[in-house]
Amino acid sequence: MEVSFKKEIEQLRLGDGETFHGEGILAITKALLQSGVSYIGGYQGAPVSHLLDVMVQAKDLVAGLGVHVEACANEASAAAMLGASIHYPVRGAVTWKSIVGTNVAADALANLASPGVTGGVLMVIGEDYGEGASVVQERTHAYAMKSTLLLLDPRPELQTMVDMVEHAFAMSEASNMPAMMELRIRACHVRGSFSCRDNRRPAVSALAPLAEPGRFDYGRLAHPPSTFRHEKLKVDERLPAARRYIVEQGLNELHPGRHAELGIIVQGGLTPALLRSLQQFGLADAFGESEIPLLVLNVTYPLVPEQVAQLAEGKRAVLVVEEGSPEYIEHEIATHLRRRDLQTALHGKDMLPAVGELNTEAIIGGLLAFVQRYLPPAHAAPVAAMLAATRERRQQAAARLDAALPTRPPGFCVGCPERPVFSAIKLAQQEVGPLHIAADIGCHSFATFEPFSLGHSILGYGMSLASRAGVSPMMERRVLSIMGDGGFWHNGLLTGVQSALFNGDDAVLLIFKNGYTSATGTQDLISTPGKNAKAMAVDKLASLTASNRTIEDTLSGLGVQWLRTVHSYRVAAMRDVIREAMTTPFNGLKVIVAEGECQLERQRRVRPWLASLLARGERVVRVKYGVDEDVCNGDHACMRLSGCPTLTLKDNPDPLKVDPVATVIDGCVGCGLCGENAHAATLCPSFYRAEVVQNPRWHERAIDAVRSLALRLLQPA
Ligand code: SF4
Ligand code: SF4
């Protein structure tokens, strides 16, 4: 991984009394070190990738503390790593993106939560929910309830977040329950400061290892009959211990307010949006003081029935501000009120949106109904007018934009090695007919957007080959499964390849070997090319396989007999091999490895290198592609086949022609796809390849002078 976190790592070294300034996720990372963790692991994913990325690069710092850092193969291996804290008094933390990661980790989580933990355990969960999220819209809360895990949702303010990390470990030890901390994207990126404490060297660590293993204790195994006792312990001892800790340490915040007849219970992470919304009604000031009493739940599971009762008792109504569906917290509060026979009216999803992110505008809409019902009209009237005006403005803007602008879905980077492969798939389909395509998670899922619109289903990370198992037998034509190298190592090797081989399936798998888990920030893999592969610095067609054969060797070792490696940028060759895979009489698993380094990662390496050559006055050649506007016939077939953002349109310079012509703009990285497509699809001959020579040698200057002179002489004045 080429992104440097040097500055961030310096912040992790801060000591007692010094002030940290920065983002929420880095503050959490610092808090882990202050809490004396012995080990840290995880699997990357937005919005928590930085935690692990920073830790992996901070090897010297963490090694000095004796902390072990593991970049896990997937979330299941990260969750299983927490098993260290079942027997031993060691604190451990892992991180991943939810809900996908929690789904993958679910087996290990249940088996961790059943015996419970001795040392404190914290999972830092990226709660990727709401508009802009990249996963299915579900909530981590369900896992906390089903497996009896602590769930913290801290108010997104750095000191609170840091304090909650340290409390999470202590509460986990007090209750023997593993803890999860869910962080929305806003909490990860909120900026602020907090007063640091020294990093703590753990008592048991890589520097101070245990002399002996723990004694055998069947009760710590998630095995019957121990599991029956575990279930009882969860209810009789662990949950009460957690509730005691929450009350004694004041983790949830009870704020009084002038309108004592009302109350609001809010998830900690939504507190700023709630306060901003109350401000619009004149019910909170700029410093976050609310006139309606609040119960801020920095711990959303388990709830403390006494705290709920304390807020609700004697009030006319309570509103629960809870994001997403189902409304687990509201349901539980309703149960607590009913059991105590409290007659306080309870509102929540009857006023707030049932689904979607609770941003300020969404909360204002729900609060409006609450305020109109329970407070004098003076509070609600101006907000109702403001909300109506905002909605009208949005509708007007949307109507104008819809008419004026095309939709702009996300797409591949300029020069991405995956784009040519989808061009080749389009061309192959012209010959073999339309294909059912089992897509997967990763950058390649951008091919589901135009101009490719390829992919029938996405069933999870690394699941494409497995997801076609039910489709293949029903199809006359073979099904094409597409997977990245990230997905292959995360899950695809076992759930897909092993299963297809075992069942003797007639299947086709295309693996993108771009060298990294690119979609999550280009983290390294076991098949990442060797850093000494010098040729890769300059040659985009350099073979990744020459420097790392792990994928190919693994497939061969497992018994894959039909295996082809083709360079991604060779469109015609790729088309031919796809056609071959679809039509060969070989009846078994056929794997095509499309190798071509992630262009984002390549450019991160190539650009500074080229800049250093230029700075030294050395000769640099850059390849550029272009379109001869006199030749372009304006049918734009090249764009429909490529989708590269730097291959675009401009007005036709010929006054007699109305169709715009294709043009290549500045961002072109010279990947060569334009030329490859023009050749493979027999497009018009308007593309040209140019070499831009900087710091040319003397003979190149001389040749240029002669050519320029000849052109001047040949061209009419
Ligand atoms: S990050 Fe790499 S693999 Fe992903 S779209 Fe960009 S160039 Fe392609
Ligand atoms: S050569 Fe074509 S496809 Fe490649 S970066 Fe340039 S414009 Fe885009």
Side-chain angles (χ1 to χ4, degrees), residues 531-545:
K531 292 292 173 201
N532 295 331
K534 201 177 163 198
M536 287 177 46
V538 280
D539 182 4
K540 69 173 190 298
L541 291 178
S543 170
L544 301 186
T545 301

Side-chain angles (χ1 to χ4, degrees), residues 466-669:
S467 75
R468 62 79 251 163
V471 182
S472 294
M474 301 183 302
M475 286 275 161
E476 280 187 7
R477 209 167 289 140
R478 285 177 181 146
V479 171
L480 177 62
S481 305
I482 293 173
M483 195 184 290
D485 40 9
F488 175 78
W489 293 118
H490 179 271
N491 215 337
L493 172 63
L494 292 182
T495 56
V497 176
Q498 192 257 134
S499 183
L501 287 172
F502 178 67
N503 289 287
D505 289 356
D506 184 12
V508 181
L509 171 64
L510 190 150
I511 300 173
F512 280 109
K513 184 179 179 182
N514 67 22
Y516 312 86
T517 44
S518 300
T520 52
T522 63
Q523 287 83 7
D524 284 357
L525 293 162
I526 192 171
S527 53
T528 294
K531 292 292 173 201
N532 295 331
K534 201 177 163 198
M536 287 177 46
V538 280
D539 182 4
K540 69 173 190 298
L541 291 178
S543 170
L544 301 186
T545 301
S547 116
N548 190 320
R549 288 192 47 83
T550 321
I551 291 179
E552 290 83 349
D553 289 347
T554 302
L555 291 169
S556 302
L558 214 55
V560 173
Q561 292 169 23
W562 195 103
L563 178 63
R564 307 277 188 276
T565 297
V566 184
H567 208 288
S568 305
Y569 292 102
R570 300 295 191 213
V571 176
M574 185 64 73
R575 175 201 57 200
D576 294 347
V577 85
I578 293 169
R579 188 208 306 116
E580 186 193 344
M582 288 297 156
T583 54
T584 175
F586 178 82
N587 188 345
L589 179 61
K590 292 157 278 290
V591 183
I592 303 167
V593 176
E595 67 162 5
E597 191 188 10
C598 166
Q599 190 68 232
L600 183 67
E601 192 65 7
R602 181 171 176 271
Q603 289 298 322
R604 279 181 182 148
R605 193 176 52 249
V606 168
R607 283 200 169 133
W609 178 67
L610 291 180
S612 71
L613 291 182
L614 287 174
R616 293 202 299 270
E618 292 185 34
R619 180 177 181 271
V620 170
V621 181
R622 283 185 300 124
V623 172
K624 287 276 181 193
Y625 279 75
V627 176
D628 186 336
E629 58 198 31
D630 294 330
V631 181
C632 174
N633 63 19
D635 76 346
H636 313 142
C638 53
M639 290 179 188
R640 287 191 291 276
L641 203 50
S642 150
C644 175
T646 56
L647 175 60
T648 182
L649 293 173
K650 70 173 185 182
D651 286 340
N652 200 318
D654 185 340
L656 298 178
K657 293 182 183 169
V658 289
D659 288 333
V661 290
T663 187
V664 175
I665 56 174
D666 257 1
C668 169
V669 295

Side-chain angles (χ1 to χ4, degrees), residues 163-174:
D163 292 346
M164 287 299 150
V165 167
E166 300 189 17
H167 279 303
F169 284 112
M171 183 163 48
S172 174
E173 283 155 3

Side-chain angles (χ1 to χ4, degrees), residues 199-496:
N199 295 332
R200 260 174 63 195
R201 191 175 279 207
V204 178
S205 72
L207 294 179
L210 292 162
E212 300 292 340
R215 69 178 177 84
F216 177 75
D217 179 357
Y218 194 84
R220 291 185 191 273
L221 288 165
H223 234 200
S226 301
T227 43
F228 306 121
R229 181 164 177 271
H230 295 159
E231 187 186 20
K232 202 160 155 40
L233 282 174
K234 283 179 177 179
V235 175
D236 291 349
E237 293 182 17
R238 296 179 194 167
L239 284 169
R243 289 183 174 123
R244 261 196 314 278
Y245 187 96
I246 294 166
V247 173
E248 285 167 10
Q249 299 295 325
L251 301 194
N252 292 332
E253 304 167 38
L254 269 162
H255 299 277
R258 191 165 68 84
H259 294 288
E261 74 283 13
L262 301 175
I264 298 178
I265 301 176
V266 60
Q267 289 172 290
L270 298 180
T271 312
L274 171 66
L275 291 170
R276 182 80 181 116
S277 306
L278 285 167
Q279 232 186 315
Q280 309 310 308
F281 293 86
L283 292 168
D285 65 19
F287 301 99
E289 290 295 325
S290 168
E291 294 190 1
I292 298 179
L294 300 181
L295 172 58
V296 176
L297 298 173
N298 289 312
V299 185
T300 51
Y301 190 83
L303 294 183
V304 181
E306 293 75 19
Q307 288 187 335
V308 172
Q310 193 183 341
L311 182 88
E313 200 143 27
K315 295 200 185 321
R316 289 176 68 203
V318 164
L319 176 70
V320 180
V321 179
E322 178 183 7
E323 195 169 57
S325 173
E327 58 270 45
Y328 301 110
I329 298 174
E330 191 180 331
H331 288 165
E332 194 180 337
I333 290 171
T335 304
H336 292 317
L337 295 185
R338 192 70 200 91
R339 282 187 182 150
R340 287 169 185 251
D341 200 19
L342 290 173
Q343 300 307 316
T344 310
L346 181 67
H347 298 284
K349 292 298 182 186
D350 55 337
M351 294 181 170
L352 288 153
V355 298
E357 191 173 354
L358 283 191
N359 57 23
T360 306
E361 192 181 339
I363 295 179
I364 287 175
L367 268 180
L368 183 61
F370 188 71
V371 169
Q372 280 172 331
R373 185 135 163 205
Y374 294 106
L375 285 172
H379 284 293
V383 179
M386 180 197 80
L387 210 55
T390 305
R391 284 178 183 155
E392 196 184 324
R393 267 201 309 280
R394 178 172 295 115
Q395 277 167 5
Q396 285 171 357
R400 281 210 302 275
L401 289 175
D402 279 353
L405 292 174
T407 51
R408 297 191 64 189
F412 298 104
C413 298
V414 173
C416 173
E418 300 183 353
R419 181 181 285 111
V421 177
F422 290 102
S423 300
I425 293 173
K426 272 188 143 184
L427 295 174
Q429 288 192 103
Q430 287 180 347
E431 299 180 25
V432 299
L435 299 173
H436 179 101
I437 294 180
D440 212 291
I441 304 281
C443 291
H444 41 87
S445 65
F446 289 142
T448 55
F449 298 119
E450 288 184 6
F452 301 112
S453 303
L454 295 174
H456 288 79
S457 59
I458 297 179
L459 267 290
Y461 195 23
M463 298 288 192
S464 62
L465 186 59
S467 75
R468 62 79 251 163
V471 182
S472 294
M474 301 183 302
M475 286 275 161
E476 280 187 7
R477 209 167 289 140
R478 285 177 181 146
V479 171
L480 177 62
S481 305
I482 293 173
M483 195 184 290
D485 40 9
F488 175 78
W489 293 118
H490 179 271
N491 215 337
L493 172 63
L494 292 182
T495 56

